[in-house]
Amino acid sequence: FIYADIIAPLFDKFTPLPDGELKTAIEELASSVNFPLKKLFVVEGSVRSAHSNAYFYGFYKNKRVVLFDTLLEDNPLTKSENKESEKVESEKDDAAPEKSNEGSSEESKERDADWHKNKIKGCTNDEVVAILSHELGHWKYNHNLKNILISQVNIFICFYGLNLLIKEKAIYTSFGFDTQPVLIGLIIVFEYIYGIYNEVFGFFMTTLSRKFEFEADNYAKEMGKANLLALSLVKLHEDNLSFPVVDRLYSAFNYSHPPLLERLKEIRKASKKSD
């Protein structure tokens, strides 16, 4: 709550989503599953990067949804700026004298070279709604709450073990210390003794996170958004310049989200079962 309402606005500009087709569709989606939506924001993430994202936050019945402006194909934050720039460009074209064929050919080459910069990015309104259906799956299955509880249990285990081990003289003498400095004890316990435990716990959390993502995808499928979700995932990976092919073993240990091809496979499998 403190981060979203106080800290985050210091670094990013949050603008209420203007009335329109997208806002109406999101509100209808939220009401259909009794999601207590209070506010809708668009954050100006494009000033930092082209990465697209969407998330919700808030306690109890005070939920708020945040959309990155890079996620929206019809970006309300840049719509007015684009209209002004188009107007300026048209005025320049009207005032400029006729150019030679050589000059026009050079301009066409420049446009061809920069085609990727002018390519329309983001998702359509229906695809944005499909992405939010996925996010609502995390809310429906209490994924955030489960992660918090598991983290609290992990913290308890770590500090309980620290309390038992930090007084053991053997762990200090093993590293050549005759005394028992607290700082050295912390380093030995957390960096060395907990090393294997941290790897096992990290793998468990990664596996659990991937399971949660599949569950959220399946929830979006149950809401009839399977095809739109698949299209939006492909667009997001393309806009974020993510490589779709990943080694399965490497991703299992290092990727909190399943690779694109695995998610598409599961979405299509679920769609065939429903058919």
Side-chain angles (χ1 to χ4, degrees):
F1 175 77
I2 295 175
Y3 170 79
D5 285 348
I6 299 176
I7 299 177
L10 296 176
F11 301 96
D12 294 303
K13 181 180 178 182
F14 288 79
T15 304
L17 182 66
D19 295 334
E21 180 183 344
L22 178 59
K23 184 176 181 180
T24 302
I26 294 175
E27 290 175 344
E28 290 177 352
L29 174 69
S31 63
S32 67
V33 294
N34 296 321
F35 179 75
L37 176 63
K38 291 295 181 182
K39 293 183 180 180
L40 277 165
F41 292 104
V42 178
V43 61
E44 198 171 355
S46 55
V47 297
R48 295 177 179 271
S49 71
H51 182 75
S52 303
N53 198 8
Y55 64 91
F56 69 87
Y57 68 95
F59 292 106
Y60 302 108
K61 295 185 178 181
N62 189 28
K63 304 292 186 183
R64 306 175 187 187
V65 171
V66 177
L67 306 173
F68 278 50
D69 61 339
T70 50
L71 179 66
L72 308 178
E73 185 178 280
D74 187 17
N75 188 350
L77 300 183
T78 59
K79 189 181 294 184
S80 58
E81 296 177 3
N82 291 339
K83 288 182 179 179
E84 291 179 2
S85 62
E86 289 176 1
K87 183 178 179 181
V88 172
E89 289 294 331
S90 62
E91 290 176 354
K92 287 182 179 180
D93 292 340
D94 294 338
E98 294 183 359
K99 297 181 179 180
S100 62
N101 293 332
E102 183 179 350
S104 60
S105 62
E106 290 179 357
E107 287 186 356
S108 63
K109 289 180 181 179
E110 291 179 358
R111 285 195 297 269
D112 292 339
D114 296 337
W115 66 271
H116 59 286
K117 296 180 181 179
N118 300 322
K119 180 179 177 292
I120 296 176
K121 296 184 178 182
C123 299
T124 64
N125 291 344
D126 290 337
E127 291 166 349
V128 172
V129 172
I131 292 172
L132 290 179
S133 299
H134 166 90
E135 297 300 328
L136 288 178
H138 291 304
W139 162 78
K140 183 69 175 180
Y141 297 126
N142 295 313
H143 291 162
N144 291 335
L145 179 60
K146 291 175 182 177
N147 281 330
I148 292 173
L149 292 176
I150 292 171
S151 298
Q152 296 303 311
V153 172
N154 177 58
I155 291 173
F156 174 80
I157 292 173
C158 288
F159 280 96
Y160 182 75
L162 175 66
N163 182 59
L164 297 177
L165 296 171
I166 199 169
K167 299 176 183 177
E168 292 292 329
K169 188 176 181 180
I171 67 172
Y172 296 94
T173 56
S174 299
F175 285 85
F177 293 94
D178 296 327
T179 58
Q180 299 180 6
V182 175
L183 180 61
I184 298 300
L186 290 173
I187 294 175
I188 293 174
V189 171
F190 281 103
E191 291 293 329
Y192 296 98
I193 298 179
Y194 281 173
I196 297 177
Y197 168 77
N198 289 335
E199 289 296 325
V200 173
F201 180 76
F203 177 72
F204 166 75
M205 290 302 296
T206 301
T207 304
L208 184 65
S209 176
R210 292 160 66 95
K211 179 178 180 294
F212 286 168
E213 292 301 318
F214 283 127
E215 288 179 354
D217 286 346
N218 186 62
Y219 184 77
K221 186 271 301 182
E222 291 175 353
M223 299 184 70
K225 309 292 184 182
N227 292 331
L228 289 170
L229 179 62
L231 289 173
S232 62
L233 288 175
V234 173
K235 282 189 176 182
L236 290 178
H237 275 70
E238 183 179 354
D239 292 346
N240 295 336
L241 303 179
S242 301
F243 195 67
V245 181
V246 185
D247 179 75
R248 191 163 189 171
L249 186 61
Y250 179 84
S251 66
F253 276 89
N254 297 280
Y255 282 27
S256 61
H257 286 56
L260 174 63
L261 298 181
E262 290 185 24
R263 294 182 69 177
L264 294 178
K265 182 179 178 181
E266 289 298 319
I267 290 173
R268 288 169 182 165
K269 186 189 299 183
S271 299
K272 288 179 180 179
K273 287 182 180 179
S274 63
D275 293 341

